[in-house]
Amino acid sequence: MVLACGFTPLHLKTFLHAHLQEALPLRAVTLTEGLFGDLYGTLARAAAQPPQSVAIALEWSDIDPRLGYRSTAQWSPAAADDIMGVAETTLRRLRIGIGKIAKEVRIAISLPGLPLPPMFQTPGWQQSRCEIQLCRLIALFCGELATDRDAAFVNANRLTEESPLRGRFDLRSDLLFGFPYSLSHADCLAESLTRLLVPIPPRKGIITDLDDTLWNGIAGEVGPEGISWDLARHHHLHALYQNLLSSLADQGTLIGIASKNDADLVEKCFARPDILLRPEKVFPREVHWQAKSTSVTRILETWNVAADSVIFVDDSPMELAEVAAAHPGIQCVLFPKNDYAAAHRVLDQIRDLCAHERVSPEDLLRAASIRASAEFKQISGENAAPDAFLEGMRSVVTIDFGGGHEDGRVLELVNKTNQFNLNGIRRTAEDWRMLTLAEGSFTAVVTYEDKFGPLGRISIVQGSHSGGVMKIGTWVMSCRAFSRRIEHQCLRTLFERFDARKATFDFAPTARNGPLQELLVSLTGNLPQGTVSLARQEFLDRCPRLFHRVIVRSDGIQEEGLNG
């Protein structure tokens, strides 16, 4: 990784390295920096020899040295116009330099956050014309850079909350050592940059209580008309919570209900036309008089996600404790219905835990596909679906060999999938790029739909082929696609495409990849250990009947369409 800054990095480098190493405990982090006063040169070297990520700490002195305290240039109002011209040129040059860095390199940028020297004619409590123009140039720089390439910016407002402006600048350190930050600000800024360089995976779902949480009042006591979330009755906190859940649902977060209540009564509450969280965005709804932990168990099973991927929200500390005891790892959040300051923090906390940096088509399909999967399981039964049922599903498997190295969703699926995962290996963007671009390698991105609806991209197979042998090093499939024989169709298509006589699998057991192990046992007759070998004829002898329509694409061109 590269730290690009115009000042002496000192403690910022130390803190950044520590935070990065903590965020990547299984990797050895190497952090290099550039020369003092040569921010552009550091970026040019990162473009010539791309690292895996770049952290850029931009300060006013990088835009024009006269905007820093180490400059000996005279503070003169007459210099203001010249400073604006230099600043505009410098920011344009930096934008171009950042744009030359390879797109797969993750870039995190912090914008100038230190005080400007007292060189302008206005008093400190009045923003000068020059400061306004500088802020405008920074805004244009961010907007143009966001258009040019995918860079992440530290949120200046959040940074101010965590590191107040008055405690950021260390004049003595700046003048003596060329390092302008206080220790506390260096630590805080390093942590903020690390969050952008190594994003924390968002929580997949929120399970919420209803009474005095989603709305004010006890539905069983006041009826559907008596519950409220309006501003007039001072219950608007519940409206804000509903709006947040609705927004997150639109971004792909799963929303479920766990409530001790009468199911028919709750249906009437959700039938109110003014409810902000529409019922179609909530699935499943566990409404009965059993323990909340039982409801959470059923919801997790329906979603097929682990407890540590979910948030549980309730207004009762007792209910939160009961769920936490039954489901270690779940994030329990108390809804503070009468504490406005605490409610503000809770809304921010839930957003931070669940928000997506970007929303993929698969995120938008997630809730609908889980409903479809639940309907599929209900109709097909708990055991393997019979041939007659699968034959009538009108299923379509699309296998695209057109790359996959630049698609963030592909790598996300590889790194998030646990149950059907060949070996549990997690990849960085650079790891994945090198793997998929190697000579003889292939990447198959599998999309699926049937009469129950589309599931989107649900499987990734990555490997290489040579001399009639396929070597599969990465294979994942979403749990939403289980029991449809998609995995068999993937193997059949790969054997046919590469005319392979044998496939080998870089298998390693994990605590959660039982479904993948079961597949290998069914095809080889042996418990998998290490590298697993499967002859083509052995696969064909043991492969069940397949009923998919198969579409194979390469580089966006449809090569063939056939029936399984």
Side-chain angles (χ1 to χ4, degrees), residues 119-414:
M119 61 183 298
F120 304 116
Q121 72 275 16
T122 55
W125 54 82
Q126 178 181 345
Q127 194 169 38
S128 70
R129 178 180 61 85
C130 292
E131 289 176 283
I132 293 172
Q133 290 180 342
L134 284 170
C135 291
R136 180 183 64 84
L137 291 176
I138 289 292
L140 289 173
F141 167 77
C142 294
E144 291 171 350
L145 190 57
T147 303
D148 290 346
R149 64 157 298 141
D150 188 18
F153 293 88
V154 172
N155 186 316
N157 291 330
R158 176 64 64 85
L159 185 62
T160 300
E161 291 178 9
E162 298 173 349
S163 178
L165 289 173
R166 189 169 291 276
R168 293 182 181 182
F169 183 50
D170 187 329
L171 179 59
R172 179 178 181 274
S173 176
D174 186 24
L175 297 181
L176 297 184
F177 310 113
F179 181 70
Y181 297 151
S182 66
L183 285 178
S184 60
H185 182 62
D187 184 21
C188 189
L189 180 58
E191 184 177 12
S192 297
L193 289 167
T194 299
R195 290 176 188 150
L196 300 182
L197 293 173
V198 189
I200 299 172
R203 299 295 174 111
K204 295 180 180 179
I206 301 171
I207 302 173
T208 183
D209 180 38
L210 296 178
D211 292 338
D212 284 336
T213 302
L214 195 69
W215 52 62
N216 180 269
I218 310 297
E221 296 179 0
V222 300
E225 299 78 17
I227 60 173
S228 60
W229 48 84
D230 57 288
L231 193 60
R233 284 183 280 185
H234 309 297
H235 299 153
H236 196 64
L237 289 181
H238 303 278
L240 297 176
Y241 180 53
Q242 287 189 36
N243 260 333
L244 177 62
L245 295 187
S246 181
S247 172
L248 291 173
D250 289 338
Q251 299 171 33
T253 303
L254 303 170
I255 309 295
I257 297 294
S259 175
K260 291 180 178 178
N261 229 315
D262 179 86
D264 291 336
L265 186 64
V266 167
E267 289 300 316
K268 293 178 182 178
C269 294
F270 271 101
R272 280 183 47 169
D274 58 337
I275 195 164
L276 301 173
L277 178 63
R278 302 306 304 166
E280 59 270 16
K281 296 184 179 182
V282 181
F283 180 81
R285 296 201 284 269
E286 286 287 333
V287 181
H288 43 68
W289 300 104
Q290 299 176 35
K292 292 281 182 71
S293 59
T294 301
S295 297
V296 171
T297 299
R298 292 173 178 165
I299 294 172
L300 294 178
E301 289 174 350
T302 299
W303 289 348
N304 207 348
V305 300
D308 60 7
S309 296
V310 170
I311 301 169
F312 175 62
V313 184
D314 201 296
D315 68 301
S316 167
M318 184 193 74
E319 301 285 17
L320 293 172
E322 190 257 336
V323 168
H327 299 281
I330 196 168
Q331 178 87 34
C332 289
V333 175
L334 178 69
F335 187 86
K337 61 176 183 176
N338 295 317
D339 186 336
Y340 289 86
H344 188 199
R345 291 192 296 270
V346 163
L347 294 174
D348 279 347
Q349 178 190 13
I350 293 173
R351 187 274 312 273
D352 289 347
L353 288 170
C354 296
H356 292 66
E357 195 172 66
R358 62 185 60 82
V359 179
S360 70
E362 282 69 31
D363 292 325
L364 301 177
L365 282 173
R366 184 177 293 119
S369 65
I370 286 178
R371 286 180 188 263
S373 295
E375 185 180 356
F376 170 80
K377 290 178 182 179
Q378 183 178 8
I379 296 175
S380 64
E382 291 299 322
N383 299 320
D387 286 359
F389 177 77
L390 291 175
E391 190 173 12
M393 284 182 59
R394 304 191 299 275
S395 56
V396 180
V397 173
T398 301
I399 303 180
D400 192 339
F401 291 92
H405 60 279
E406 293 185 349
D407 191 326
R409 167 61 184 172
V410 170
L411 182 57
E412 180 182 330
L413 187 59
V414 169

Side-chain angles (χ1 to χ4, degrees), residues 36-77:
F36 180 87
D38 189 26
L39 176 58
Y40 184 82
T42 305
L43 297 176
R45 287 186 288 275
Q49 295 182 325
Q52 290 181 313
S53 59
V54 177
I56 302 173
L58 185 65
E59 286 300 341
W60 295 117
S61 56
D62 297 316
I63 296 173
D64 188 314
R66 290 171 289 184
L67 296 176
Y69 280 82
R70 292 175 62 85
S71 172
T72 56
Q74 285 190 332
W75 291 346
S76 166

Side-chain angles (χ1 to χ4, degrees), residues 328-535:
I330 196 168
Q331 178 87 34
C332 289
V333 175
L334 178 69
F335 187 86
K337 61 176 183 176
N338 295 317
D339 186 336
Y340 289 86
H344 188 199
R345 291 192 296 270
V346 163
L347 294 174
D348 279 347
Q349 178 190 13
I350 293 173
R351 187 274 312 273
D352 289 347
L353 288 170
C354 296
H356 292 66
E357 195 172 66
R358 62 185 60 82
V359 179
S360 70
E362 282 69 31
D363 292 325
L364 301 177
L365 282 173
R366 184 177 293 119
S369 65
I370 286 178
R371 286 180 188 263
S373 295
E375 185 180 356
F376 170 80
K377 290 178 182 179
Q378 183 178 8
I379 296 175
S380 64
E382 291 299 322
N383 299 320
D387 286 359
F389 177 77
L390 291 175
E391 190 173 12
M393 284 182 59
R394 304 191 299 275
S395 56
V396 180
V397 173
T398 301
I399 303 180
D400 192 339
F401 291 92
H405 60 279
E406 293 185 349
D407 191 326
R409 167 61 184 172
V410 170
L411 182 57
E412 180 182 330
L413 187 59
V414 169
N415 286 335
K416 282 187 175 183
T417 305
N418 294 305
Q419 296 180 71
F420 195 99
N421 189 317
L422 186 61
N423 45 41
I425 296 175
R426 307 308 189 193
R427 312 280 187 185
T428 67
E430 179 64 13
D431 293 338
W432 186 247
R433 186 182 73 87
M434 294 178 65
L435 198 63
T436 55
L437 293 179
E439 186 176 355
S441 71
F442 67 85
T443 305
V445 180
V446 184
T447 306
Y448 177 84
E449 64 177 307
D450 57 33
K451 69 178 184 179
F452 294 98
L455 298 187
R457 283 174 286 187
I458 45 82
S459 184
I460 310 297
V461 189
Q462 196 285 323
S464 62
H465 61 93
S466 177
V469 177
M470 294 188 303
K471 296 181 180 180
I472 297 176
T474 300
W475 190 7
V476 299
M477 187 172 72
S478 169
C479 57
R480 295 178 286 123
F482 287 178
S483 303
R484 292 166 167 86
R485 302 181 185 173
I486 299 170
E487 58 273 35
H488 299 89
Q489 188 66 74
C490 290
L491 280 179
R492 173 176 163 170
T493 303
L494 290 172
F495 272 120
E496 292 175 351
R497 178 174 179 81
F498 301 119
D499 194 21
R501 68 177 188 278
K502 184 176 74 171
T504 64
F505 303 85
D506 184 14
F507 171 78
T510 71
R512 298 169 67 178
N513 70 352
L516 192 286
Q517 296 183 45
E518 291 174 7
L519 172 68
L520 294 178
V521 169
S522 71
L523 294 177
T524 65
N526 300 309
L527 189 66
Q529 293 182 348
T531 301
V532 176
S533 180
L534 177 65

